[in-house]
């Protein structure tokens, strides 16, 4: 059997929601292997009907490419092996709440067609979700990343939740597309944080986030409101070439080091009310349609507003 990637995703997505299965889906489920055309190549995918076995260590070796039919129920599971799951297709929900990942996890370019739940999970080593596609809600609340966490160029088509997450090393969200509501409230970012060129299409919350290291929001495009209230920025912060489409709030936040807002665009109100700037700050606004509010803000070093 040969599918294009788009054909396969449409087939699986349509049949996840139906009780009566399409004959082509039944044929897929009965197959051990199918070919999928991706990027001009035909890749041989193993069809896995009991996907949990790939994570429990019951299987001696992992398939290079896999279609995981049915949900993965890995609640509080300890995964001791390294996981290489590039281009895997998770056809059902991927439930990993409270799971412990002791090895490295490489899930680059994986397709998550159902809901994803890593709530309260722990990654001891580096994890890479680069260029993944999350077609349904993705939950990473209270997840602990003890090494680099990479989501570069990922796409979240529904809600994305990282509230109360703990990032002890680098957090890489460069070029990520957040299509649904996004929430990083009260997360701890202890390593350098990178959101350059990220797109936020719906309401986004960074309320109460602690940024212990440098922060890069260069080139972000926020199409809806963003909330950075009550944040702690302990190292340099850069928001060059930014676009804020609606209201953006920094109320009550503290910037302990250099702050640069360079060549930006505000379509709605921007509030720096009661913000503390402990070091130099430069705010260069290319265009703003409403107003910047600095009521109660404290400037302890040089401030440049141009």
């Amino acid at each position: 059997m040969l599918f294009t990637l788009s054909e396969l995703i449409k087939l699986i997505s349509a049949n996840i929601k139906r009780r009566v299965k399409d004959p082509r889906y039944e044929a897929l489920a009965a197959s051990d292997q199918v070919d999928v055309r991706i990027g001009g190549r035909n890749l041989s995918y193993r069809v896995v009907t009991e996907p949990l076995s790939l994570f429990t260590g019951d299987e001696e070796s992992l398939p290079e490419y896999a279609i995981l039919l049915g949900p993965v129920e890995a609640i509080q599971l300890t995964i001791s092996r390294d996981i290489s799951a590039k281009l895997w297709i998770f056809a059902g929900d991927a439930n990993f709440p409270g799971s412990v990942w002791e090895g490295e996890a490489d899930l680059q370019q994986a397709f998550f067609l159902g809901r994803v739940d890593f709530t309260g999970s722990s990654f001891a080593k580096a994890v890479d979700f680069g260029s993944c596609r999350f077609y349904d809600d993705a939950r990473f609340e209270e997840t602990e990343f003890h090494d680099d966490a990479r989501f570069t160029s990922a796409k979240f088509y529904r809600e994305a939740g990282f509230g109360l997450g703990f990032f002890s090393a680098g957090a890489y969200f460069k070029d990520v597309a957040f299509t649904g509501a996004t929430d990083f409230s009260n997360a701890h970012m202890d390593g350098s944080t990178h959101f350059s060129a990220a797109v936020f299409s719906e309401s986004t919350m960074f309320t109460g986030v602690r940024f212990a290291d440098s922060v890069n929001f260069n080139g972000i495009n926020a199409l809806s409101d963003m909330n950075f209230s009550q944040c702690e920025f302990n190292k340099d912060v850069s928001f060059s070439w930014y676009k804020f489409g609606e209201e953006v709030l920094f109320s009550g936040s503290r910037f302990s080091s250099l702050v640069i807002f360079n060549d930006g665009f505000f379509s709605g109100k921007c509030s720096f009310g009661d913000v503390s700037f402990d070091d130099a700050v430069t705010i260069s606004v290319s265009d703003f349609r409403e107003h910047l509010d600095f009521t109660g803000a404290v400037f302890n070093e040089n401030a440049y507003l141009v």
Side-chain angles (χ1 to χ4, degrees), residues 259 277 279-283 294 298-306:
V259 185
F277 296 98
D279 205 335
V281 54
T282 297
I283 300 178
F294 289 93
V298 177
F299 297 89
N300 294 312
E301 291 291 339
N302 293 330
Y304 306 92
L305 179 59
V306 290

Side-chain angles (χ1 to χ4, degrees), residues 84-151:
S84 179
K86 287 184 179 180
L87 286 166
W88 282 17
I89 299 172
F90 291 76
D93 294 345
N95 293 315
F96 292 92
S99 57
V100 177
W101 299 64
E102 297 180 340
E104 293 186 354
D106 186 354
L107 294 106
Q108 293 180 70
Q109 297 177 279
F111 299 87
F112 294 92
L113 306 188
R115 290 184 295 273
V116 175
D117 188 358
F118 285 93
T119 303
S121 295
S122 175
F123 292 90
K125 296 183 179 179
V127 57
D128 197 337
F129 287 94
S131 297
C132 282
R133 300 293 183 265
F134 298 92
Y135 287 85
D136 210 323
D137 294 345
R139 309 253 66 93
F140 290 88
E141 287 91 352
E142 300 183 66
T143 300
E144 297 180 358
F145 299 95
H146 295 282
D147 204 330
D148 286 347
R150 297 183 179 274
F151 290 83

Side-chain angles (χ1 to χ4, degrees), residues 11-284:
L11 176 65
I12 294 173
S13 297
N15 282 269
I16 285 175
K17 301 173 182 178
R18 296 177 184 170
R19 293 184 179 180
V20 178
K21 300 300 183 183
D22 186 301
R24 294 178 303 158
Y25 183 87
E26 296 291 352
L28 170 66
S31 302
D32 294 326
Q33 182 176 302
V34 297
D35 291 331
V36 183
R37 189 161 184 80
I38 299 177
R41 297 185 299 158
N42 290 345
L43 304 181
S44 181
Y45 272 76
R46 177 178 159 194
V47 180
V48 182
T49 56
E50 296 184 5
L52 184 61
S53 63
L54 301 177
F55 301 93
T56 58
D58 293 340
E59 301 224 8
E60 192 171 320
S61 61
L62 297 177
E64 184 174 10
Y65 305 111
I67 300 171
L68 282 61
L69 291 182
V72 181
E73 299 293 346
I75 300 170
Q76 296 184 334
L77 179 69
T78 296
I79 301 168
S80 56
R81 71 194 309 174
D82 289 346
I83 296 293
S84 179
K86 287 184 179 180
L87 286 166
W88 282 17
I89 299 172
F90 291 76
D93 294 345
N95 293 315
F96 292 92
S99 57
V100 177
W101 299 64
E102 297 180 340
E104 293 186 354
D106 186 354
L107 294 106
Q108 293 180 70
Q109 297 177 279
F111 299 87
F112 294 92
L113 306 188
R115 290 184 295 273
V116 175
D117 188 358
F118 285 93
T119 303
S121 295
S122 175
F123 292 90
K125 296 183 179 179
V127 57
D128 197 337
F129 287 94
S131 297
C132 282
R133 300 293 183 265
F134 298 92
Y135 287 85
D136 210 323
D137 294 345
R139 309 253 66 93
F140 290 88
E141 287 91 352
E142 300 183 66
T143 300
E144 297 180 358
F145 299 95
H146 295 282
D147 204 330
D148 286 347
R150 297 183 179 274
F151 290 83
T152 304
S153 299
K155 292 186 183 299
F156 294 86
Y157 294 104
R158 298 283 293 274
E159 294 184 3
F162 291 86
L164 292 168
F166 179 79
F167 298 80
S168 62
Y172 298 88
F173 291 88
K174 180 181 178 182
D175 290 316
V176 171
F178 295 98
T179 304
T182 303
D183 191 356
F184 281 84
S185 295
N186 299 305
H188 281 235
M189 304 287 200
D190 283 0
S192 58
T193 301
H194 306 266
F195 280 92
S196 56
V199 177
F200 302 89
S201 297
E202 296 292 340
S203 179
T204 301
M205 299 290 290
F206 282 91
T207 308
V209 176
R210 178 182 178 271
F211 296 96
D213 209 327
S214 59
V215 180
N216 183 343
F217 279 94
N218 293 340
I220 68 165
N221 187 2
L223 304 177
S224 188
D225 57 284
M226 295 192 77
N227 194 333
F228 290 92
S229 297
Q230 306 299 324
C231 286
E232 295 181 27
F233 297 90
N234 293 333
K235 293 291 181 67
D236 293 356
V237 180
S238 180
F239 276 88
S240 295
W241 313 294
Y242 54 90
K243 292 182 180 179
F244 292 114
E246 294 188 16
E247 183 178 61
V248 56
L249 304 177
F250 290 90
S251 307
S253 291
R254 186 184 191 105
F255 294 89
S256 298
S257 191
L258 178 67
V259 185
I260 297 176
F261 286 82
N262 186 46
D263 290 332
F265 180 92
F266 292 97
S267 288
K269 175 183 176 181
C270 178
S271 175
F272 290 95
D274 298 313
V275 168
S276 178
F277 296 98
D278 295 344
D279 205 335
V281 54
T282 297
I283 300 178
S284 171

